[in-house]
Amino acid sequence: MQAVDTWTGARADSLREALRLTNEGFAAHLGIAIRTVAKWRAQPDVVPKAWVQQLLDTALQQASNADQERFTVLVSPAPPARMKPVIENLTAPPEEVFMTAAMEVTDGMAMCSTKLGSDAIELLHSQMTLVARQYSDRPPMSVFAQARRLRQTAEQMAERTRRPGELADVYLVVSGSTALMASIAFDLGHWPASAHMAKAATSYAELADHRALMAWTLGLQGTLAFWRDDLIESEFLLQRGLDCAPPGRHRFRLRYIASRTYALRDDAASTARVLAEAEDDRQGPTHVPDPLMDNIQGEFAFDDARAAACAGAAWLQLGNGEQAERYTNTALDLYLAEPEQQRPFSPLNGARIDTAAARLLQGELDGAQEVLSPVFMLSPSHRNTALTGRLDKVRGMLNERQWEPYPEARRLSGAVTEWLAENATAPLPHAD
């Protein structure tokens, strides 16, 4: 048993924890006031009076062997931290090992540099590019951890410079990595955290004076607003994004997101209008080179496949299966035209699920079942709330009265239910 020469608030609270008692229970056990017990936790260095010291001695002596052992562990000093041998990390997948090593290089640079310089900033930007491009083909929490680490490194580097040009470049990385974190939080159904991070990402993009990234983060904020059913706020944020977006694909992306807002209002005319305006942006004579979409790409890109998937989801919301399938088929064709190892898991399978829903709207049960087959084979690590929300809607459609006479519909609904049961995250539809 750990001997106690003098009881302090910290040691007394450790005894309470070892006995597995609440503040109220520990106070009753000792016969003292609850506020005294609460004070020990709030003031760990306080030394109780002599008569209370005796009460604590008695409580420890009368404790069971298991409780005494727990107390000894709790009050024993922690052993000094040791560096883990590098070889231990090789149990992780190779891509995880190399990505972690790459991030460690950036961390070391941030701690050692007395000034930044172009090489340090270029390495930061290359790390952000790597994380953004791996967004869709790696487990989301792994990407989130890398984005968070990059953000912390960039913040450390921001503290080492006051040169406006360098500071703007570093703020761009802080904004971009925060935006990636917000997008992953959204995909996994953590809306409040995502909204907070997306707003912070917009603020940092403003500090960096990067209009393209401001437009992207405002688009994410607008997406979050309309899934909260705050359509007025969504329109305000999307319009703010349009006001600052450079000509071309950023406006194109914002208009496609706006089409989802109008679809949620059941406004087919405005949905068609804003999609036509998006095409005008695409065909416009002015093309402004954009480092976000042209160079970084990955999650920051908004290509024709994502645009088609977004339009398909809008028409699906409006119940127009024919129009929806027209767009979702285009998205599928574009995704499947890419090399297999480069196909983005979530957007590709989201398009598959939306195609199935569009076919059900048109009464095509066999076609829906066919396009869902690859979705059912997805590993759990690639299932997120973007897919879960879509598939849950498909299940709802299969359970409608019109499909009751069809055993195939019940079997497909059962397969969807089984898939959803294996996924622990809550349903959430995604914007693109």
Side-chain angles (χ1 to χ4, degrees):
M1 182 179 69
Q2 175 76 33
V4 177
D5 51 356
T6 300
W7 288 93
T8 63
R11 288 173 175 173
D13 192 62
S14 294
L15 179 57
R16 177 198 61 77
E17 189 175 348
L19 294 172
R20 295 178 175 171
L21 294 173
T22 63
N23 284 356
E24 293 82 357
F26 195 36
H29 184 68
L30 296 175
I32 60 176
I34 296 174
R35 64 178 178 273
T36 302
V37 175
K39 180 180 179 182
W40 292 338
R41 189 169 187 177
Q43 300 180 30
D45 294 329
V46 70
V47 177
K49 295 179 180 179
W51 66 273
V52 180
Q53 297 262 342
Q54 293 176 358
L55 292 176
L56 291 167
D57 286 338
T58 301
L60 179 58
Q61 290 168 2
Q62 294 177 349
S64 68
N65 291 337
D67 292 341
Q68 290 178 358
E69 289 176 5
R70 274 195 297 273
F71 175 76
T72 298
V73 170
L74 288 169
V75 298
S76 296
R82 295 182 179 179
M83 292 289 290
K84 290 185 177 180
V86 174
I87 192 68
E88 289 186 16
N89 291 332
L90 298 181
T91 58
E95 63 271 16
E96 196 75 27
V97 173
F98 291 117
M99 184 64 176
T100 300
M103 301 298 286
E104 286 171 354
V105 169
T106 309
D107 293 347
M109 173 194 62
M111 297 304 294
C112 296
S113 297
T114 55
K115 66 176 184 177
L116 301 187
S118 59
D119 289 344
I121 291 173
E122 184 178 346
L123 184 53
L124 265 186
H125 281 258
S126 69
Q127 292 290 356
M128 186 169 74
T129 300
L130 186 59
V131 175
R133 291 183 180 180
Q134 292 184 336
Y135 185 100
S136 293
D137 56 14
R138 295 182 61 207
M141 288 308 300
S142 173
V143 180
F144 184 88
Q146 301 295 353
R148 185 178 186 181
R149 185 168 180 173
L150 177 60
R151 183 187 191 280
Q152 291 169 343
T153 301
E155 285 182 325
Q156 289 176 350
M157 297 181 76
E159 295 174 358
R160 295 175 178 269
T161 183
R162 292 296 179 266
R163 296 175 60 181
E166 287 184 348
L167 200 54
D169 286 335
V170 176
Y171 280 151
L172 173 60
V173 176
V174 175
S175 174
S177 54
T178 305
L180 291 171
M181 292 164 60
S183 190
I184 293 169
F186 174 52
D187 280 344
L188 295 179
H190 299 281
W191 292 9
S194 177
H196 184 78
M197 289 184 281
K199 188 173 182 179
T202 301
S203 297
Y204 276 107
E206 288 186 271
L207 288 172
D209 194 24
H210 199 285
R211 294 171 58 203
L213 190 52
M214 281 181 62
W216 195 94
T217 58
L218 286 165
L220 179 57
Q221 285 195 65
T223 298
L224 282 158
F226 76 66
W227 284 124
R228 294 194 307 266
D229 290 327
D230 191 347
L231 302 185
I232 294 176
E233 177 70 5
S234 177
E235 287 187 26
F236 168 77
L237 291 164
L238 294 173
Q239 185 57 55
R240 185 181 164 198
L242 285 168
D243 290 342
C244 72
R249 282 170 294 167
H250 282 285
R251 294 181 182 177
F252 175 74
R253 170 179 175 264
L254 288 163
R255 294 195 199 279
Y256 268 93
I257 295 175
S259 74
R260 301 292 302 276
T261 302
Y262 290 122
L264 284 171
R265 283 185 167 177
D266 201 26
D267 187 346
S270 294
T271 299
R273 173 183 56 78
V274 77
L275 289 174
E277 291 172 347
E279 287 305 305
D280 290 341
D281 286 326
R282 182 209 295 269
Q283 302 298 335
T286 304
H287 173 68
V288 178
D290 176 26
L292 195 64
M293 289 190 174
D294 292 336
N295 299 336
I296 296 178
Q297 300 177 350
E299 176 62 8
F300 291 119
F302 192 78
D303 54 18
D304 290 343
R306 283 197 169 192
C310 195
W315 287 113
L316 194 61
Q317 177 69 36
L318 290 164
N320 189 325
E322 183 178 354
Q323 279 281 63
E325 187 175 4
R326 170 191 160 202
Y327 282 105
T328 59
N329 278 340
T330 298
L332 281 176
D333 289 342
L334 291 169
Y335 285 135
L336 293 173
E338 297 181 16
E340 186 172 357
Q341 65 274 16
Q342 295 179 15
R343 295 171 188 168
F345 283 96
S346 185
L348 168 61
N349 288 286
R352 282 172 169 152
I353 297 170
D354 283 353
T355 300
R359 290 177 180 177
L360 287 174
L361 284 174
Q362 299 173 83
E364 299 176 12
L365 180 60
D366 290 343
Q369 187 167 355
E370 177 186 5
V371 78
L372 285 176
S373 296
V375 178
F376 292 140
M377 296 189 297
L378 277 179
S379 67
S381 65
H382 287 114
R383 302 178 186 183
N384 58 29
T385 50
L387 305 181
T388 301
R390 283 178 158 98
L391 206 51
D392 191 47
K393 287 187 176 181
V394 168
R395 178 175 61 175
M397 296 172 70
L398 289 165
N399 291 335
E400 291 174 357
R401 181 170 298 179
Q402 70 183 89
W403 297 110
E404 287 181 0
Y406 299 93
E408 296 87 351
R410 290 195 296 273
R411 283 194 290 270
L412 184 56
S413 177
V416 171
T417 298
E418 183 178 347
W419 191 97
L420 292 171
E422 295 172 357
N423 188 39
T425 52
L428 166 69
H430 196 284
D432 49 61

